[in-house]
Structures are given as structure tokens and as C-alpha cells.
Amino acid sequence: MKKNFGKKVGACVLAASMVLSMTACNSSTPSNTDTTTTTTKAKSDSATEATSAEGTSAEGTSADTSSVDTGSAAPDWSAYDALIDEIRTTTDFAARVDLMHQAEDMLMDTWAVIPIYYYNDVYLQNADVDGIFSTVFGMKFFMSATNESDPGNLKINIASEPDYLDPALTSSVDGGCLAVNTFAGLNTYNADGQLVPAVAESYDVSEDGTEYTFHLRESKWSNGEEVTANDFVYSWNRVIADETAADYSYLLDVIERKDDGSLAVDATDDYTLTVKLVAPCAYFLDLTAFPTFYPFTLQTWNHNESMIYVKNDNYYDADNVTINTLEFMLSDDDTAIYAAYNSGDLDFADTVPNDEIQSLLNNPEFHIVDNLGTYYAGFNVNSDMFAGKTVQQAADMRHAISLLIDRQYIVDTVGQTGQQLADTFVPIGMADGNGGVFHNKSYYDAAATGADQVEEAKALLEGAGYTFTDNGDGSYAISPALGFEYLTNTTTNHVAIAESIQADLSILGIEVTIKQEDWNVFLADRKSGNYSGMCREGWLADYNDPVNMLEIFTSDSGNNDMQLGK
């Protein structure tokens, strides 16, 4: 899922994507990962740490990065698409791990994706507030919170005006956090990060792992109407409908299709739902934590200002909802949010100004939690900046730029909360779907990128047709001129990272123009490829399996901001 606030972007699809949390994953070992982060109140030692710190098999295929000029500098992406299809359908789980490593190799060979660091998350929480919990997927749950200073009420900032409230359409973390507090699915997560029943009281699974039968509890919508299995049949099929145009429609490819193209999902009676999968998927239950039924209802929405949610007494678990009112401040202005928190107008703030982080590290109200995801920058592979270049030359240009980015400086001076440098796109700690951990290599020395890599970067650019003149001060002039636009949203840490990259690239005479846009405009432009060079990115895993990080770059994915195969 795309993460916005504070240090984030990219995504977290609430336990598998905001379009139904149905995604393709095939694993012989069920997930037992604890998906709730442990809140760490920053101590003095963390301050020290932060400042130092399909068809035939696709095996053996790679993206076309040959030096043959095909008229386009963008790589042929059909092999990658075929590889992801094979990953989704294979039942050889050891081979599946190898296929996913091949996919990451293929992705990284393009250098269209530039990992910076692996995510963590920070937020401010009033000392009188307790019971809020967060998952490694970036979802925050408020319904069981308590507030001693204002019992039954919470004033919260998550982000600015949400892109969507429709769970089938939202793909950002802010939309996800709103959804998990206003909807519930067949399953959900508890405060310990464990998957627990929600609308479904129980389920049965076939011996071959491809058919699930869910037994629903009797429950009601906020208007008093019964929630039935047919509601799930409708909502899941709506996600794959062309007219819905959901970014995450590809995630439902794990479910079989009927002859008419609809999903193999049926209501055998009002309270029994059957689902047939293409292949066994150990994470399928996690993916059913998609919200379709709500503990709160939206009472008031003052656009670009506030939203007020009130408790839904028809919610099946209403007795355990301790909050009567959730009031959301809609803003991505870090300074205004911080001021509102300090004045008591907010009980919870999911972002802080970058300049305030150091002063907050010893504050018990400042929390640092683990996430499972990667902050990165990405290139539009169809950008005019690669015009006239071969596929390999364009990849070498991007590779050179990646080498120039001082990741350690970004973590030390911008992140400041002990983020781990990223040397892969799939984050460290992610399971491999076969009982192990996926990470097994580094694509570069992340601690050494920056000034020490200038000569290697220069050589790559020279191979792409550029020449350099030494300015005598450690910097160079480049010919022909090379410059591009870096697109970001407006929160302070993202702008600071853009400025750091701008400075890093200037040593070789590369001119970077930073373009800032409001969140919703930024999302639309990035998704459509309406940016001329590079953009800031981030992806929080929707579930603990590498394919979630890899399938976002298929040609038909609505989350393929790099425009690979498009």
C-alpha cells in the first residue's frame, strides 16, 4: 500500500490491499508472523542509533536490457509479466522462492526502482490515550482505545483529504487506516497482530487447499439491514469490474473465474460463502481481512478540513468498541499538525515536522514502530530524458543516479529514527512463503553510495554517451546537459529527501528540479506517469509475502508508477 504521512508513501493495503485484501500468494506454510508492531517509546540510546545511522517457465529470463536499439529505451516487460503469472500459479513452493528472486533481479536490473531505506513509522500519542495498535502493514486501529482526558472521544490526524473512501479504490495508507476503522471483513487483526474472525465466525478448507467455506455470523449494516454472503459476492466482483478500475484488481487473480468471467465466489445461503482458488494460498485468510462492514459511520465530512465518525451500534462487536466519536483533522501540513497536537487539539498525530524529530526522541509520547516495506524513488521509464538511448544505456543512467544517492546521509539527517539502509526492493525480514526469510543478497553496498561512487557513476554515464569536465573543486560539468524533475508531495521529510538527492546529483552536473504537489494531485500524476523523470515512492506490504512487493510492477497493475510495460 502506498504510504503518505510523515516518512511514508506507498502502501499498505490493509492486510492485503484495499480492494479486498485478495492477493496471489502460494505457500505451503501458513503465515504465523506477528503483524503488530511493538510500540517503542524512543529512549536516549535510540537517539544515538538514529544519528549514526505464464505458459512456459520463466526461469532464467531477464528483462531486455540489451544494447540493441529497438526504438524505445524502456525494457520489454513481457517476461516479467509471465514470471509473476508463474509465481501466482505454481504449487512447487521451493521453486516459487527461486522465481521470486528472479523477478526481483529482473526488476533491479532496470534500475527504475531505487530503494533508499526500509520503513519504520513514528507518531505522537497523548499520554492519556491507550489501546491504539498498529500493524507492520501500517494500519492503525482506534476502536478499542481509551482516553482519560476525554472519555469516548479521539481527535486524530492521519493525513490530508483522502483520495478515496471506497475500499475498492483506495490504495494509500491514509485511506487504509480510515477503512480498517470504518469497515470489517471476514477476518481482522487483533492487538497482538494475529488474524482473528470478524464477520466470519469460522471457516472450512478443502484437503487440497483450494476451496474455502466461510460461515458468517448474523450481523447488520448501520441502516439495520442484514449483512449476508451475497454482499461479499457483490463487493468482490465489483473490484474486478472494468468500470470500477480498481488499482488492486490483479490481486483477485488468486480466485478462479467462472465461464462468465466473474469470480468463483458463491453464497450457498445467507450466511455461507464459498471461494475457489486457482492454487493453494497460505496467506488467503490474511487477505480476507478486507473491510466491508463497519464499527463506525461517517457523520460529517468538511472537505479538506475534518471528518467525524460515530459509533455504529449495529456493528457485530459494538460492545467492545470503546470510542464513541473519531474526529479526523484533514491536513498534511506538518507544522500545523504539530501545533494542533501541542495545543491539545489532537490526541494522535501520525506525522511530525522533520526538524522536530531530534527533540522528540526522548519524549515518551513519541513512538517508533516497525513497518514491513521500502521507501524508494522511481523513474518513469518512458521519460524523454531517455530519448535516443538504448535500453541498456537508459538502465545505466538510472544505475549511475542510484549510486550517487547518499543513503546513509538521508537516514542520519532526514529519517533520524534508525531506519535500515535498503539494498534490495523486497524488505529485509519478509518471509519467503516456504518457511524461510526471503532476503539473500545485496544489489549494492547501501552504506557506500554517495560521494565514494562518483567515478563508477561517471563511467556508467560515459557509456551512455555523456562526457565530463572537471570543475577543479570535486564537481564536474556534464555534456550534453542532463536534468529532470523530481516529483514529491509536500510533507517535510519527503521534500528534504528530494533536496538531498538534488545535492548528491549536482556533483556530476545533473540538475534536478523538485516539484511539490498536494497529496491527491501527486497520487494521480504519479499513477498516470505524468512526471518527466523521477518521483518519490514507498510501498508497505499488504501481507507478508514477496509477491506483494513484486506484482505491483506488472504491466496491468494500477500501482506500476514506473510505467514498466506500459
Side-chain angles (χ1 to χ4, degrees), residues 49-53 116-117 405-416 419-422 445-450 500 504:
E49 178 181 319
T51 54
S52 64
I116 306 295
Y117 58 73
I405 297 172
D406 191 336
R407 291 162 172 81
Q408 190 68 61
Y409 178 86
I410 289 172
V411 165
D412 290 347
T413 66
V414 183
Q416 305 178 70
Q419 291 91 343
Q420 187 171 356
L421 302 177
D445 184 350
T449 58
S500 179
D504 290 340

Side-chain angles (χ1 to χ4, degrees), residues 300-564:
T300 305
W301 187 355
N302 296 316
H303 289 279
N304 298 302
E305 182 179 330
S306 66
M307 301 172 74
I308 298 176
Y309 287 84
V310 296
K311 181 177 178 179
N312 172 20
D313 291 331
N314 283 321
Y315 178 54
Y316 76 89
D317 199 28
D319 289 347
N320 290 314
V321 176
T322 56
I323 294 297
N324 297 315
T325 303
L326 291 174
E327 183 176 343
F328 289 87
M329 172 185 177
L330 302 179
S331 175
D332 61 359
D333 184 331
D334 291 344
T335 302
I337 294 165
Y338 189 58
Y341 181 85
N342 285 327
S343 67
D345 291 331
L346 284 175
D347 301 307
F348 182 97
D350 204 38
T351 185
V352 297
N354 210 67
D355 293 343
E356 300 291 343
I357 292 176
Q358 282 296 314
S359 66
L360 289 168
L361 287 175
N362 295 317
N363 189 327
E365 297 187 6
F366 184 68
H367 300 260
I368 303 172
V369 299
D370 294 328
N371 279 165
L372 189 63
T374 304
Y375 188 101
Y376 65 106
F379 285 95
N380 182 345
V381 297
N382 298 320
S383 170
D384 287 344
M385 69 180 287
F386 305 119
K389 304 299 181 184
T390 66
V391 173
Q392 185 62 57
Q393 287 174 327
D396 287 345
M397 290 169 64
R398 296 187 290 264
H399 186 183
I401 289 169
S402 175
L403 290 173
L404 291 171
I405 297 172
D406 191 336
R407 291 162 172 81
Q408 190 68 61
Y409 178 86
I410 289 172
V411 165
D412 290 347
T413 66
V414 183
Q416 305 178 70
T417 55
Q419 291 91 343
Q420 187 171 356
L421 302 177
D423 56 10
T424 58
F425 181 67
V426 177
I428 282 181
M430 178 163 270
D432 67 2
N434 194 40
V437 176
F438 185 73
H439 190 280
N440 70 350
K441 68 187 298 183
S442 299
Y443 290 94
Y444 47 84
D445 184 350
T449 58
D452 292 343
Q453 301 295 320
V454 168
E455 290 304 315
E456 184 176 351
K458 190 155 65 75
L460 285 165
L461 288 168
E462 286 170 340
Y466 294 93
T467 60
F468 295 89
T469 302
D470 193 330
N471 291 327
D473 59 0
S475 68
Y476 295 82
I478 189 172
S479 179
L482 176 59
F484 57 86
E485 180 180 271
Y486 187 100
L487 180 66
T488 181
N489 55 311
T490 60
T491 47
T492 55
N493 67 297
H494 299 308
V495 174
I497 291 173
E499 291 171 344
S500 179
I501 293 173
Q502 182 184 53
D504 290 340
L505 271 57
S506 68
I507 196 169
L508 286 186
I510 302 171
E511 295 187 2
V512 178
T513 301
I514 300 170
K515 182 178 180 180
Q516 301 180 46
E517 293 182 336
D518 290 337
W519 178 237
N520 289 339
V521 177
F522 168 73
L523 284 179
D525 282 347
R526 189 175 62 177
K527 174 182 175 180
S528 65
N530 187 26
Y531 62 98
S532 62
M534 200 173 188
C535 67
R536 82 93 180 161
E537 287 278 3
W539 191 261
L540 283 176
D542 306 316
Y543 52 97
N544 192 1
D545 190 273
V547 75
N548 179 240
M549 305 293 294
L550 300 170
E551 67 184 353
I552 66 175
F553 296 109
T554 58
S555 300
D556 60 352
S557 168
N559 296 308
N560 180 2
D561 299 335
M562 280 56 267
Q563 311 302 308
L564 290 158

Side-chain angles (χ1 to χ4, degrees), residues 104-121:
E104 187 175 31
D105 289 346
M106 196 180 299
L107 176 66
M108 292 300 297
D109 280 349
T110 70
W111 296 99
V113 171
I114 311 298
I116 306 295
Y117 58 73
Y118 304 124
Y119 271 126
N120 61 16
D121 192 11

Side-chain angles (χ1 to χ4, degrees), residues 32-162:
N32 59 1
T33 304
D34 184 343
T35 57
T36 297
T37 61
T38 299
T39 299
T40 304
K41 297 186 178 180
K43 306 178 183 69
S44 59
D45 59 343
S46 64
T48 303
E49 178 181 319
T51 54
S52 64
E54 184 153 278
T56 59
S57 172
E59 183 176 357
T61 60
S62 62
D64 179 7
T65 55
S66 69
S67 58
V68 178
D69 189 353
T70 61
S72 171
D76 180 351
W77 212 230
S78 57
Y80 188 89
D81 290 342
L83 188 54
I84 297 298
D85 282 344
E86 186 171 1
I87 291 166
R88 288 169 171 166
T89 57
T90 184
T91 57
D92 184 335
F93 302 115
R96 180 177 181 268
V97 177
D98 292 337
L99 293 172
M100 290 190 292
H101 280 297
Q102 290 177 41
E104 187 175 31
D105 289 346
M106 196 180 299
L107 176 66
M108 292 300 297
D109 280 349
T110 70
W111 296 99
V113 171
I114 311 298
I116 306 295
Y117 58 73
Y118 304 124
Y119 271 126
N120 61 16
D121 192 11
V122 302
Y123 59 85
L124 285 165
Q125 180 178 308
N126 189 296
D128 289 339
V129 175
D130 196 11
I132 295 173
F133 66 91
S134 176
T135 72
V136 294
F137 310 122
M139 296 299 100
K140 296 178 175 68
F141 293 76
F142 302 108
M143 65 279 289
S144 299
T146 59
N147 187 355
E148 290 184 7
S149 59
D150 188 11
N153 302 303
L154 275 182
K155 294 170 289 186
I156 300 164
N157 171 263
I158 293 296
S160 57
E161 183 87 357

